[in-house]
Each structure stands twice: as C-alpha cells, then as structure tokens.
Amino acid sequence: MSDIVEKTLTALPGLFLQNQLTGGAAAAKAPFSSRLGGLVRGITALTSKHEEEKLIQQELSSLKVTVAAPTTTLKMMKECMVRLIYCEMLGYDASFGYIHAIKLAQQGNLLEKRVGYLAVSLFLHENHELLLLLVNTVVKDLQSTNLIEVCMALTVVSQIFPREMIPAVLPLIEDKLQHSKEIIRRKAVLALYKFHLIAPNQVQHIHIKFRKALCDRDVGVMAASLHIYLRMIKENSSSYKDLTGSFVTILKQVVGGKLPVDFNYHSVPAPWLQIQLLRILGLLGKDDQRTSELMYDVLDESLRRAELNHNVTYAILFECVHTIYSIYPKSELLEKAARCIGKFVLSPKINLKYLGLKALTYVIQQDPSLALQHQMTIIECLDHPDPIIKRETLELLYRITNAQNITVIVQKMLEYLHQSKEEYIIVNLVGKIAELAEKYAPDNAWFIQTMNAVFSVGGDVMQPDIPNNFLRLLAEGFDDETEDQQLRLYAVQSYLNLLDVENAFYPQRFLQVMSWVLGEYAYLLDKETPEEVIAKLYKLLMNSAISSETRAWLIAAVTKLMPQAHSSTIVETLIQEFTVSLDTCMRQHAFELKHLRENVELMKNVLPVDKSCEGMVVDASLSFLDGFVAEELNHGAAPYKPHHQRQEEKLAQEKVLNFEPYGLSFSSSGFTGRQSPAGISLGSDTSGNSAETGLKETNSLKLEGIKKLWGKEGYLPKKENTATDEVEAQPISQDSVIMENVDQIITKRDQPPALTQSKEEKAKQLLASSLFVGLGSESTINLLGKADTISHKFRRKPKVKEIKSGEITSAHTMASSSFNSLSNEEDYYLDTLQDRGDKELKKLSFNSELLDSESFTELHMVEKLSNCNLSASSLFADNNLEIFHPSQSTAVSVANEVSLASSLLEEPTEHMHSDLMEVCNNETISVSSYKIWKNDCLLMVWSVANKSGSELKNAMLEITSEENLKVTEQVECCLPIIEAESTKNFQCSVQMEQPFTEGILSGIINYQMMDSHSVQLEFSVALSLLDFIRPLKISTEDFGKLWLSFANDVKQNIKMSESQAALPSALKTLQQKLRLHIVDIIGNEGLLACQLLPSIPCLLHFRVHADGLALWFRSSCSTLPDYLLYQCQKVMGES
Amino acid sequence: MIQAILVFNNHGKPRLVRFYQHFPEEIQQQIVRETFHLVLKRDDNICNFLEGGSLIGGSDYKLIYRHYATLYFVFCVDSSESELGILDLIQVFVETLDKCFENVCELDLIFHMDKVHYILQEVVMGGMVLETNMNEIVAQIEAQNRLEKSEGGLSAAPARAVSAVKNINLPEIPRNINIGDLNIKVPNLSQFV
C-alpha cells in the first residue's frame, strides 16, 4: 500500500494543477484510487487551519464538478464518495453529494452500493427529506437473493430510516426473522428493535416474534433479542415476569460454559451476554421476592465463577453486585457482594476503584456500614489526582451526609468546586451543596457563609431555584422569630462586609440576592444607618459591569430603604441620574421612586417593612379606571378588545386558511377572568395604579411554582433532635477541619508522645472520624432520611396485608357499584364472560344507549350489578367469593380497611374514581391514594393513616412529578400532629404538560415518632395517558369543522377477531376504556371525540371492514394521536 | 445504547466519526473538539471513564475511552451499557482492526476509512452491540473482501461477475449448539408459540 501512497504523493502537485486547469474531464482521467491519499497527504503537510480550509474548498469544488458530470462512472463516483466522507468528517459541508450517494446506493453494483449506503448513513439523518428516495432501494435490496445486499439493507435500516416509511419495510424484515442464515436473523432483530425505539406503536404486534428470537437456536440471535428485552423490561417489568425462568436458564448455561468455545473472550464465556442477562434479572427481581428467589442460585454461581483476573470478569462481577443489591435481598448473597465491592474499592486499578465507589454510592442507602469499612480508602480517594474519582467520592459523601458531618463534607465539596472549571460540574455540585446546607445547617453563620460561597462560585450558571429557595427561606423564617431575625441580621452584615471589599467581583445573581436582602432587612441593623446602605447600593448602581436586570433589583432595594433614611441626598442624585436614563426600565423605576418619595402614606402601603411574605390584595380588574374608560368611550374612543378577539378579526379579514382550532366550549375556561376590564373587583378599597402593581411584582419574590424543598418545620425540629449528639460531635469536626488546613496548630498542641502514626495519617483518621460520624449507630441512620434498614425486616408482613386490602377494596367497589379500575383483572375476566352471555340483550339496547352521551357511567353500573350477580351464582367460587367471607383472624384488620375505604369514598361520589390503593406503609403509617377523574382535571387524593397507638408529629407529604406532569393545588401538606389511629386526607390536582404513555408521580412522606426519630418513606403512583383523557361532547357539525382544522393525523388499520369486529362492540370498548365520546354513527363508520386535559381535542374517525378496523386520528397536538393510537391498539388487543 | 464513536489522534484530528443519534454538523464538530480536550488533559494512569457533560445528553451519558499509541478511541454511551464491557469492546474493535489490516496504524485508518466503517458496522449496528466475537467479525469482513477481489478480476466479464457474486455465500461458522446436553434452548418454548 505504501508504494502506491508514495507514488501518489509525489504526483500530487501535478494532479492538482491539472485538475484546476482542465476541470472535470481531466479529473475523471486521474487515477481515482489514489486521490484520497493525495488529499490526506496534502492536508497533513499543511500547517495552518486556514490553508487546510483552502485546500478542502478546492477539493470540494473539483468534486462538485466531477460528481455532476455525466461522464463520471459509478466506479469513479465510489471514489468520490469516500473523499466526500472524509471532507464531511473534517467538518466541511458536502451536501451537494448527498443525492449522488443515494444514487450510488440505487444503481451501483455490490461494492459501489456498499459505499453509497455508507455515505448515506453518515451524511443524512432520520428526518432528512432525501431519505425518502432511499426507501425503494432498501425494499428492493431486502428482497434480493444476495445475502450481502440484504445485510447492507438491514444495516442501513437500523442506522437511519424515516419513521413514516416503516410500514413499507416492516413485513419484509419480519420475514427475515425466519431466514436460514443467523447473521440475517440477527440483523433483522436489531432492525426491529430500532423500529421499536423510534415508533413503538408500529411494532406492537411483533412482540411474539421477539419471543421467538429469544428462543432462537443461534446464540447470536438470542443475544440480539436481549437488547429488546432489556429495554422493554426497563419500561415495564411486570409483563415479563414469566420470562424470568428462561433468562435464568440461559445465564446458567452460559456461566456453566455450555456455549461453544469461540464465544469465549479471554476464556470467559460470552461476557457481554452475561452482563446483559444480569441487568435484565436485576430489573425483573426488583421488589419482587418470588421472582428474586428464582435467581439466587445463578447469581451465586456467577459470583463464584468470575474469579479470573481479567478486566471483563470484573465487568461481570460489577453487574452481579448491582443485581444482588437491586433484587429482593438475601443476606448470604449480600455478604458476598459486599466482599466484592471491597475488592473493587481496594483495587490498585483505577478503573475498578471508580466502579467500586460507584457501587458504594449505590449500596450506601441499604447498608451504611459498608462505607464505614472502607472509610480510609474513601478518604484517600478524596485527594486522588483524578478529578473523576474525586467527584464520585463526593457523590458518595453527599449520600451519607447528616447533621453531624455536614461541615466537613461541604467543605470538601467547596474545595473541589473552587478547582473545577466546567460549567456542568459546577451547576451540579452547587445544587447539591445548597440542598445539603438547607437540610442540615448547624448554625446561622455557617449557613450564610456556605450560601455565600455557593453564590459566588455558582454565580450565573446555577439553577435559578437555588437563590429563590434561599430568599424564600429567609423571608418565611421558622417558628422562632428571634432566630429568624438573627439569621437575617447575619446575612445583612455579611453582605455589607462583602460589598466593602474593594475591586471584588460578584456574579449578578449574587448581587440580586444581596440587594433583595439588604432592601428587606437592613432595618435590623443598629450600627449602620440606612443612608450608608443606600450609599453602597448607589455605588453598585453606578458600576458599569452591572447588568440592567440587577440594576432593577438594586433600585428596588433603594426604594424600600428610602423611607427609613432621614437625609436623602443620594436618593435625590439617583433620581436625577436615572430619570434621564436611556434604559426605559430604569427610567420607570426612577419615576416610581420619585412619586413614592412624595407620597409617604402610599409608600407605607405599598412597601411595608418586613411584610414580604404577606399577600397583597391587588385590584387585578383595574376597576379604578372605570370612570376614565367611561369618559373616553363618551368621547368616542373605540372599546377595548381582548387580544384573541383582535386576532380572530384579523384572521377573518385576511381571508387566509385558518389553521387554528375554532373556539370551543371547553376552551373558554382559559379566557374567563380576564375578559372585561370592568369585571369583578377584588377589593377596590386598596386599589392602586398599574405602575405600583408592576413594581410590586419585580420587588417581591416569585414564589409560585417553586418546588418546596424546605418546609417551615424542616429546620428547627431536626436541629433539636441532634442537639445532644452535636455537643459531642462538634468539637471533633472542628478539630479536624483545623488540622486539615493549618498544620502548625497541630504541632503546637500537646500530642501524646506514644503516637507512632505519621502526622498525615492522623489527620486522615481524624477526617474519617468526622466524615463518618453518625453512620454506625441506629439512631443516626434515621437522620440519613433513608430508613431502608428498618423497612427490610417488615417487608414481608405488609405485603400480605397489601394483598388483603386490595381484595377488600375490590369487593367494596363491587358492592358500591362505583367506577372500577380498568386494570382489575378479575373484573375484566367477568366482563368478557358476561359479554358472551348477554350479547343478545346488549345488541338490542346498545345503539340507543351509546348515542346517549351520559351512558358511560350507567353502562358501567349495569355491568357491575350483573357482575355481582354472576359471582354470587358461584361461577367463580374459587376466587372472588371467598372475599365475602373473611376468616376470623383477619377480620379485624379487614374491617379497619373497609371503614377507611368507605370514609374516603364518601365525598367524591359525583366523579368517577379509582380504587383506594396502598402506595407505601410501615408499621406506623400507611399512605393510600386514589384518582378522581374530574371533568377538568385529575385529582389525586392521598390519605395518610396513622396505624400506631401514638401520635405522630410533623408529618409532611411532598409530591414531586416527572417533567411532563405538573402538580398544582397542593393543599396543606404539612401536619403538625397526626393523632393515633386517625386518617388525614390531602389532595392535589395533576396536569399533563406533554402527552406520554405512562408517567410516575412520586412522593415522600416524612414524620416524627414520639421518641423524635424522624422517618421518611418514598412512594410512587403510575399515571397513564388515559387518566387525562375526557370525553369531548360536541355535535357532528362541530366535529366536521374541527376535523378540517387539525393538521396532525395518524391512520392505522388494526386487525380484530370475528367476535369484536361488529361496530357496537368496538364502539363500546373505545367508549369505556378510552373515555371517548361517541359523536355519531353513520353506517359502518363512527365518529368519536375526546380531549386531553386541559383542552387539547383529539378526534377519531373509524370504519369497520371485513376483518379489522381503520382508525384515523386527528388533533391539534402532534404527538397525541400517536399515543392514543397506541392505547387504542392496547385495549382492542385486550378485549 | 451507544450514542457516538469517535476516533481521533493525539492532535485532535478526527479519524473516524460515527454518530448514532442525529446532531447538526456544527455540534458534531464541537463534540469531537470538546471530547478531545477532555481526554487530552488526562494522564494514561487515571481512569478511562469520563462524564460527558452537558454537550452529549447530560449526566446519563458517559465517555469511555482508550488510548493506543497515536489514537484515542472514545465511545459515548448511556447508562444501559456496562462501563467495563465497553472498555473491552473497544479492545475487541481495535484487535479486529489489527487483524484486518495486519499491524494497524493511524495511516490505515486514514487511507481505508471506508473499510474501518465496514468493520465497525459489524461490531456495532445502529448503536447496539451486534457482535463481540472477533473471529466472526473477521470472517464477515473477509467475505466482503473476497467480493472485492472477484469483482476486480472479473471486470472484463461482467455477466460472469454478477453471477459469481450472487453465488457467494457468507461463511457460516458452525454455531448451532443443539448438541445433546449443550442445549441453550429456552425451556418452555411451547408457551410462546
């Protein structure tokens, strides 16, 4: 090869000259195979970026001519493509060649096709418009008899393929699953997996084929199918529990060395396969004792076998440990796993150490004592030269932070923070420090200083909720008023000191925090006068480095301080200066300041001292302007039109196509409340003018929508708890800090002469004792807030109870004929059976009933009643009936549960709701929840029951949601006291921001026992799209109008069995399970409508034909139809 | 899933860039540059894992890299991949390159960029690990190479060439493991079908 290269290189200058002179024709004659070499050598010979650019541009322009020339053969084109790929890799645009790449893939022979496909997959992306041109080629190649062509087509499909064209190739690829060559089967499986990733609803029906692939006689195909299973089990493990046995058997055979030798890698049998399987088992066994029991043996075997000292065995070991800690615990295995973690942590190999730390971080929540074992190693890692190791160590420390070691840990984090420059790391770490500081701060001074450090380092990159939370904390305060004032005073003083430093630079956010605090709380100062504070703020205002947003904060602070000041020369100069400012915002503020200064009474009303937390009554309807408006109207002014009205009129005038949905009854809710300017007055007596409202808005904190990390009760009670411990812990930690920093002090102190340890070692041990203080003893584990060790012991007991309560509630709902959860399997079973029985009866009454929009609930009620009848007639004697005769021993607890359930179900009878489900419990407390499907929102009701005989204090329920959900209207989530054996209810409404199939709402409940241990429990509730779907009641006419106005549509045919193919039964399923409103039925077509809360409509048109159902969705939201279609397929598949 | 595979030399010149998720061209270049600066700072004796930062998908993503002589091989993966597993996958990839090019060096990667891509395609397909068995990968590549040779030699007789190509079969290493006790078949098959 090198000969050729040499030859080309010597000929290179000539070639380029020739090329430039004679253009495409000459280039075509040049030896194509060597042109790439020339290009590469040319580039490497160059020294500057500029020259490289010139050369490549030259190359690209000559290529452009060549590829466009009709004389260029496919063979030359192939060579050109490689050069184009090279240019693209270096970051130059070669988009003129894209179409030629596609052409090459279409027309070339095998070799040329291969280059064409490669170029296409490197150049284009899934949504590129040119990609559509490739579809036909792919289809052709998939049908080819040549294996290599098929392979190439499958490869390109799995790299890039347009989503909407999947149906074109899907059947072909499905056929390939039966291909005789394993490589084809393997690639087909991966291509289908890719489809599952980009368009899950289109490959619904092939899940059964994935199962076949799992049982393929070739190991490679089976391994490929594991990708799919790992993914699907991660999404929803419960539907794949039946496969656990199979996975275990496979793993057993792999570990046992039953695979052919060529699967070995460094004499480890198929390590990657083992890793995949272990991950799958970990997901399957999570919180499931029965499933976990199946895998204990094989995990033990894996641990035992993986003893060879090679990198990849450690990979297997690591996965083993991870799995053992994920599944239902078994003490024997946990011990072994803990020993393994030790091996990792103590390993001299840095990669293994990193993983060891990672494993510790993961395990620490279950077993804090493990951190104690390795404390010295962790200390060493804190000073490791590798920043990644350091970061992982800090992450570990973050997990074990408690009120006793907080100072040391935060100090370590700040040290790291000062060294790192990457924004990503700073944002992450700053958030953690702020969180820890708020949770465990030992005293005011420390807290303020730590937050100062956070603000000055995190500055303008940190999450905005950190300063917001901090200010909120200062403003709201705690129970103890004097403590609050001290904290505020300390903050004010520290900021004044910081501002005194000459030439110091502070981030804008920090300055904003300072100005707010100074403005609100400078009155607490006794030495400095308000004038001095104003002078300092004024100095900042005149600083040119200050952003205009910060200026607004500063001037607001000055405005607040102004009435307290006696002489106001500075304020005067300030007003003079800024009333002529070019910045309109500043000018506005200056004028406001001026007017407020003239009217002291108004000033006191608008900006009262220390009232930042109290709500202010604002006349939002601006009723005080009514007189003015009436006068203007009399003078002939045009009446005010709201924005949307103006827009509609504008649209009507322009006579263009209207893509907006027409105004519907359901969307009007968004407009009410801000319609007429002379609407309801919300307390006219305090009405001010609009400028004041604006000012107030900038001054006050925006407290809405900020996650409440820190409740009123969160701070002081915790401090009281640990007060006794702190007395002992405090001196130690302070000592160690001093020792760490100032070595001299150590020498001054009286050291016991008997100590043989080096100074360094001693410092480390002291650090260790301060870092890991409180990890060992029982009481402090609770302080970690992760009381898993306790719940372990009781896991078995509650489980039995849970089942029982589930049965009881289902019995209860049957009796009370309320809306029943769709997922309830027994009822579903009854449903179908009853369907068969009552078919005739139904058919008679069906059509009329369906057209009645209210029939939804009624229908269900009827069904429920008949369900009860059926079960009473002992058809199901073996399962349901026994619920009605609970045995004596359980009767008491059962009665308890029933009463609980019934008390809850009293109030919301007008809406449909789900069964009461217990989401978490321990021996003292139980949290249950149910959903109420209200017409305008989803209401989650949480009931917290105290089962113990003593009262619980400071219970706090906190609900957090995933990003696509929004929780609003949280009602009183703090409870100072829950009396013994009582139940409290909370509710919150949930909105969906982005459509999705399934989301999770998680929450935490905190409470304190009588002996002042605080306990925290976590729980989560799954929400599905259907929880947010409501029938949309519109007329056929409206339907028609809406249908035309929606741009996003999705069509799909689904197959159905004979029995359900009839229109009525299909309609019934859709109406019941998806909550669609039936608008109209015309022949064999049906129109249905629904809306996604709050008001995104979606319309469905469907037609029944011979063996299936043609569904056609349209909506104003682009993703909603896809998700609905998925749900539709699901319910149709079920019934 | 594997998000991207980057190979660049000690000076940050890209030698192989393969993204499995779409990024605009400028972002791709930026990712290559920033990744290079990240790994360049690191000694050879510290760990091979890095956090991708905000550029590639945030904290769920990791950069796993190995340094061979003049080249850095960087895989960007999400949390569903095992770190050590990927580290060995890089090794497999490089060893395969070594087998295919006979003592692979940076120049091979430059001048046979397309071939490197073909080899990679046999290891990783669409972001998923396809094959980790080196012999199998080499066998696939050799089959393709034979195709190339036969094509070159038969250019005079295109018709014959086409038929020859059509008759080429990929080599099938006997991997069927249904031999007696060595059965890896999933036990309760009947349940699925």
Side-chain angles (χ1 to χ4, degrees), chain A residues 19 32 35 39 56-69 79-81 83-84 87 96:
Chain A
N19 192 21
F32 261 89
R35 291 295 305 272
L39 174 66
I56 300 246
Q57 290 306 345
Q58 237 173 38
E59 174 76 15
L60 282 175
S61 53
S62 92
L63 275 171
K64 198 171 185 173
V65 177
T66 317
V67 292
E79 170 58 29
C80 288
M81 273 309 139
R83 278 191 283 158
L84 276 177
C87 293
F96 63 85

Side-chain angles (χ1 to χ4, degrees), chain B residues 5 11 85 98:
Chain B
I5 293 172
H11 304 291
D98 198 54

Side-chain angles (χ1 to χ4, degrees), chain A residues 868-1116:
Chain A
C868 285
N869 292 343
L870 270 178
S871 53
S873 66
S874 84
L875 255 174
F876 297 92
D878 53 335
N879 60 28
N880 268 1
L881 271 186
E882 65 184 23
I883 295 162
F884 295 104
H885 311 288
S887 67
Q888 280 296 321
S889 58
T890 56
V892 183
S893 70
V894 163
N896 199 1
E897 298 276 355
V898 169
S899 69
L900 179 72
S902 61
S903 71
L904 274 170
L905 295 174
E906 268 166 17
E907 25 176 347
T909 37
E910 71 267 34
H911 297 292
M912 290 178 291
H913 55 82
S914 68
D915 295 338
L916 189 72
M917 284 246 301
E918 194 165 56
V919 288
C920 76
N921 67 0
N922 62 9
E923 72 276 22
T924 49
I925 205 161
S926 138
V927 181
S928 320
S929 88
Y930 64 98
K931 305 170 186 170
I932 302 178
W933 294 289
K934 282 177 68 167
N935 288 337
D936 54 346
C937 66
L938 174 71
L939 207 61
M940 295 293 302
V941 179
W942 310 92
S943 76
V944 180
N946 180 2
K947 296 189 284 187
S948 68
S950 54
E951 63 183 26
L952 303 174
K953 276 190 289 184
N954 293 320
M956 200 166 84
L957 187 76
E958 210 177 276
I959 308 292
T960 50
S961 62
E962 286 184 334
E963 52 193 270
N964 39 19
L965 286 171
K966 203 173 98 191
V967 181
T968 48
E969 286 179 40
Q970 211 154 322
V971 190
E972 326 158 50
C973 47
C974 303
L975 275 183
I977 285 170
I978 306 182
E979 280 137 36
E981 296 184 8
S982 70
T983 308
K984 297 274 182 184
N985 288 350
F986 308 101
Q987 60 181 38
C988 62
S989 85
V990 185
Q991 294 283 11
M992 183 182 258
E993 302 210 301
Q994 286 280 320
F996 59 83
T997 323
E998 255 176 26
I1000 286 175
L1001 201 65
S1002 48
I1004 300 171
I1005 180 154
N1006 270 313
Y1007 64 90
Q1008 282 189 325
M1009 307 269 288
M1010 280 306 275
D1011 50 356
S1012 79
H1013 285 173
S1014 78
V1015 181
Q1016 177 171 335
L1017 286 177
E1018 292 177 19
F1019 55 87
S1020 63
V1021 174
L1023 298 179
S1024 89
L1025 179 74
L1026 290 185
D1027 290 328
F1028 299 93
I1029 295 286
R1030 299 287 177 278
L1032 173 62
K1033 287 163 192 164
I1034 52 173
S1035 67
T1036 317
E1037 226 169 58
D1038 284 338
F1039 186 96
K1041 277 184 199 162
L1042 272 180
W1043 182 263
L1044 292 175
S1045 67
F1046 291 154
N1048 306 298
D1049 68 348
V1050 168
K1051 282 190 210 178
Q1052 179 90 9
N1053 285 322
I1054 52 178
K1055 281 189 182 160
M1056 293 204 307
S1057 60
E1058 284 289 307
S1059 62
Q1060 358 159 278
L1063 185 67
S1065 70
L1067 268 178
K1068 189 191 125 207
T1069 328
L1070 288 175
Q1071 190 192 28
Q1072 280 186 351
K1073 306 226 163 143
L1074 294 184
R1075 300 180 209 185
L1076 302 178
H1077 167 68
I1078 297 174
V1079 180
D1080 207 349
I1081 298 172
I1082 310 161
N1084 60 348
E1085 292 172 41
L1087 306 176
L1088 295 108
C1090 68
Q1091 57 170 320
L1092 174 66
L1093 291 175
S1095 60
I1096 305 170
C1098 184
L1099 307 177
L1100 165 63
H1101 168 271
F1102 83 91
R1103 177 204 298 270
V1104 182
H1105 51 76
D1107 55 344
L1109 206 55
L1111 297 171
W1112 190 358
F1113 288 90
R1114 274 199 178 185
S1115 168
S1116 58

